[in-house]
Amino acid sequence: MTAVTDHDPTDHADQPDDEAGRTRSAKSPSRGALDGERAARTDAAEAWDDGLIARRVNETAEGDRFPMTDHRSAVPPTVTPLVYEGPLRSRLEALRELVGLSRTRLDSRTLSEAGRVLDEASARRRLSGQHTVVAIAGATGSGKSQLFNTLAGVTISETGVRRPTTAAPLACSWSDGAAGLIERLGIPPRLRRRPLPTGDGESPLRGLVLIDLPDHDSAAVQHREHVDRILALVDAVIWVVDPEKYADAVLHERYLRPMAAHAEVMFVVLNQIDRLPGEATEQVLDDLRRLLDEDGIALGEYGEPGTTVLALSALTGDGVGELREALGQFVSERGAPARRISADVDMAAARLWPVYATQRRTGLSEQAREEFSDRLADAVGATAAGEAAERAWQRNANRACGTPWLRLWRWYQDRGEPTTGRLPSRTQADEEATARQRVEQAVRTVADRASAGLPAPWAQAVREAAVRGSQGLPEALDELTVRAGVPTGRPPRPGWWPVAVLTQASMTILQFLGGLWLLGQIVGVMSPNLGVPVLLMVIGIVGGPLIEWSCRLAARGPARRYGLEAERRLREAAAGCGRARVLDPVAAELLRYREVREQYGRVVGAGR
């Protein structure tokens, strides 16, 4: 590349004031001429409504300058804001909802990229939609500044053998109204330029804002910071590579490969083809396309959307017209800002994939809920309580319908024990109504099943919700066991019990009548007749146990139903307590995850 060393002495952005002053004094014919020129430039800068200042041009050997164009206007240019329509607007809304629903579940670092995309999309939407900001990026010595000057039609950016040459980003706008876009990039007015007018009507690059970046591989850290910051804000990028560094690992690994999603808003230009002999240009281009394909960058060939790959020489102008034509069509479509934001959303969604996506069905199945309720029922002893209620019902039936002699014997055996037919109440303070370990195990099991398959942050949230709900659960189960457990006192009696009791009393009366009759015959009060009294006694003696046995058989069904009802009541109470304290909070977390997963699906799928 030919080094240009004869620069404009009036623009030394990177030199100290005293050094710039000495330079100006050495080359300016008079101080009055310098003051007049400075005043003219100040007036021109203040008159431009979009903040652009007159471009810097090289002096010729005779001291002549390129003529400066005056784009001053009495009426400030109207800036039409960018409008997001269709799928992109829906995706941005979904991403905003996604971030809002996830703030309490995910750390700020995880959501930082999505938040940055939303902020930048909002900031870009408020600025001009009629301009496209394109950055020219490249490595040291790739000739990007020379290409920048060639596209502008005038020497704006310094070129030379000194490395790095471009110390700060320069902006060149082909039309008014781009001040806000350039200010967003942090480029001061002294580094803003205008291209040389073509003189043949409106420029085909109208609406273009071209940015010349420092070298991305510069030894100066500040230069690389400029590149990284501005690349995140521009609408499109022209990557300038040369035959020597087109396969540089820094370029591909640090920039091209991470920006593969932005293929539609990227140009890759092979510069300095004048240095390649014969068919070497096509060979280098083929190898460059291969490297871009390995980076995952779609190439815009055969009418397909993707990165445009061109070969040119900024020094000789060979191929520059093709780039200017492609760039003019690209800018005229006014679609680059939306495509850039859409690609940013794609990248943010890809980074959020591990915290939202899952390859398996998640949630609590009915079987898991039932097993949790069964574990709590076992912890409160629902089955044992039902069996105890059933035995108490049967015992009460046997005592009510049994023979007097058997009841007397049982009364003798049960002396000192609770009243016949009554259930023992829970009066032992040291006996817990629930098994604490079983409750804790039930909570751990249901939490593990509910969080299975979820991304780590949401699985943790589900487990924490279950643990919070389990605090105080054993005590609550104890209380409801006392309230909803088997009631103390006599169990209810069926309607046939009075008949059975009356029949049993009749059998006893028959026994007494037969015995008195026999006693009267023995004493001689009554005439001898053994048949009738013996028959009465036999009927009473045999009928009493027979009635008791029949009542016992008849009591099995009601006793079973009474026990099952007591067990059901206790199970439902335990299940309700577990549902309110554990299952509902867990279900709420799962519902939140389903909501964010739905929003994430909109973010990912709306643009597909």
Side-chain angles (χ1 to χ4, degrees), residues 555-569:
R556 287 183 178 179
R560 179 61 177 167
R561 288 191 294 274
Y562 181 72
L564 291 176
E565 178 63 20
E567 180 181 354
R568 182 194 63 79
R569 196 164 49 245

Side-chain angles (χ1 to χ4, degrees), residues 14 138-141 144-145 158-168 213-224:
D14 299 320
T140 302
K144 56 182 177 55
S145 295
E158 294 183 3
T159 61
V161 296
R162 180 175 59 89
R163 297 289 182 264
T165 304
T166 306
L213 297 179
D215 303 332
H216 68 75
D217 59 349
S218 173
V221 177
Q222 186 179 7
H223 295 181
R224 298 197 300 270

Side-chain angles (χ1 to χ4, degrees), residues 77-162:
T78 302
V79 177
T80 303
L82 182 63
V83 177
Y84 299 135
E85 296 179 351
L88 178 57
R89 181 176 181 179
S90 175
R91 297 180 72 193
L92 289 173
E93 292 175 353
L95 184 60
R96 187 173 293 105
E97 289 291 331
L98 182 68
V99 172
L101 290 172
S102 305
R103 288 192 185 279
T104 58
R105 300 297 180 270
L106 303 179
D107 58 88
S108 58
R109 289 186 59 187
T110 303
L111 297 174
S112 60
E113 179 62 19
R116 186 196 67 81
V117 170
L118 290 173
D119 293 341
E120 297 302 337
S122 179
R124 183 64 181 90
R125 182 178 58 82
R126 293 191 294 267
L127 300 174
S128 174
Q130 304 301 312
H131 290 79
T132 302
V133 183
V134 181
I136 297 184
T140 302
S142 61
K144 56 182 177 55
S145 295
Q146 191 168 30
L147 179 60
F148 180 83
N149 295 335
T150 302
L151 291 174
V154 62
T155 303
I156 295 176
S157 183
E158 294 183 3
T159 61
V161 296
R162 180 175 59 89

